[in-house]
Amino acid sequence: MTDMLIAHLSDLHISAGPPETAPVRRDAPDMARLVVADLMALPQRPDAVLITGDVADGGSEADYALVRQILAPLPMPVFVVPGNHDQRGPMRAAFGTTVPYAAPDTLQFEAQLPGVRIIGLDSLVPGRVEGRLDAAQLDWLQERLATGTDPVFLMLHHPPFPTGNAHWDASALRDGGERLGQILQASPAPVRLLCGHVHQPFHTQWAGCYASVGGSPAFQYGFGFDQDAEPALTDGPYAWWMHHRREGGSFAVHPRCLALPPRDDLP
Ligand SMILES: [Fe+2]
């Protein structure tokens, strides 16, 4: 088993026009360009880039054309799952030639890389902030996990685990989380669960798996450990994760912190 690097980015919120979501910085596309440039300048580039949803802010065809343009310099496979700000039709049209979305009505997929599988889940509920996984999606996941023992990177926008904040817990994965946990506990393949949505990067352990939330270059929350209060926005560095599979099969997760230009709209 050889070395492998997998980058986990999230929540780029790129829009061709003004952002639709209030906290998204107006220059979010430029911030995504900085992330891509930083990634390309690394001494060792990742073998694959996984983006856990909200790649677009509004989800129009023009938004996804811009997303494709911004991600175009990345020569490695790029896998994306939808978040609540994405739209399935335009997203499939933009990424369907490079991401093997299988089902006609969801953007779930499975891809095999050397010694590692990538599985993407689609928790988007049109018009809703919160997410869900239905029985058919979970049946499919259970079946896919049973087919091999390579480590699996499981991409899911809405965290099924507690975020430590009541506001985010109320708008995270609302349906399907309990069964998802049972499936992961019983999985013959070790699973690494990668999420987004919360815009505050952290790692945790859930259902016997390493689990994490990626940061966002479009807006990010600072530290806030009062579960009933929304944390303050910060223009502190954008944080994403580099997973390193070392020879022998162990994993390490390295934070990559990228200073972004200050926002001009924070108090
Ligand atoms: Fe987001």
Side-chain angles (χ1 to χ4, degrees), residues 23-38:
V24 171
R25 54 191 296 169
R26 287 184 293 273
D27 53 2
D30 293 332
M31 299 306 101
R33 285 189 184 93
L34 290 176
V35 175
V36 170
D38 178 62

Side-chain angles (χ1 to χ4, degrees), residues 244-265:
H244 181 201
R245 190 195 63 195
R246 299 153 163 173
E247 248 183 277
S250 68
F251 280 90
V253 183
H254 297 259
R256 176 69 178 173
C257 296
L258 175 64
L260 300 177
R263 295 180 66 139
D264 59 9
D265 56 352

Side-chain angles (χ1 to χ4, degrees), residues 11 13 54 85 157 197 199:
D11 293 85
H13 284 264
D54 286 358
H85 289 276
H157 180 69
H197 193 53
H199 291 241

Side-chain angles (χ1 to χ4, degrees), residues 10-13 21 24 52-57 83-86 157 168 196-199 215-216 218-219:
S10 201
D11 293 85
L12 306 180
H13 284 264
T21 310
V24 171
T52 47
D54 286 358
V55 288
D57 191 55
N84 50 295
H85 289 276
D86 290 301
H157 180 69
W168 282 110
H197 193 53
V198 180
H199 291 241
S216 167
F219 70 94

Side-chain angles (χ1 to χ4, degrees), residues 88-169:
R88 286 197 181 97
M91 190 166 171
R92 182 186 288 274
F95 287 99
T97 55
T98 53
V99 182
Y101 297 126
D105 51 351
T106 75
L107 299 182
Q108 64 196 29
F109 71 89
E110 177 187 29
Q112 182 71 49
L113 300 180
V116 163
R117 264 197 296 171
I118 316 291
I119 295 180
L121 292 175
D122 176 349
S123 53
L124 168 63
V125 181
R128 305 294 302 176
V129 177
E130 70 271 21
R132 75 185 295 257
L133 294 172
D134 65 25
Q137 290 172 294
L138 291 163
D139 288 347
W140 176 82
L141 174 66
Q142 189 169 25
E143 186 187 297
R144 298 322 308 154
L145 288 177
T147 63
T149 54
D150 280 347
V152 170
F153 284 84
L154 181 62
M155 301 168 62
L156 170 63
H157 180 69
H158 295 86
F161 45 80
T163 65
N165 182 278
H167 164 78
W168 282 110
D169 287 345

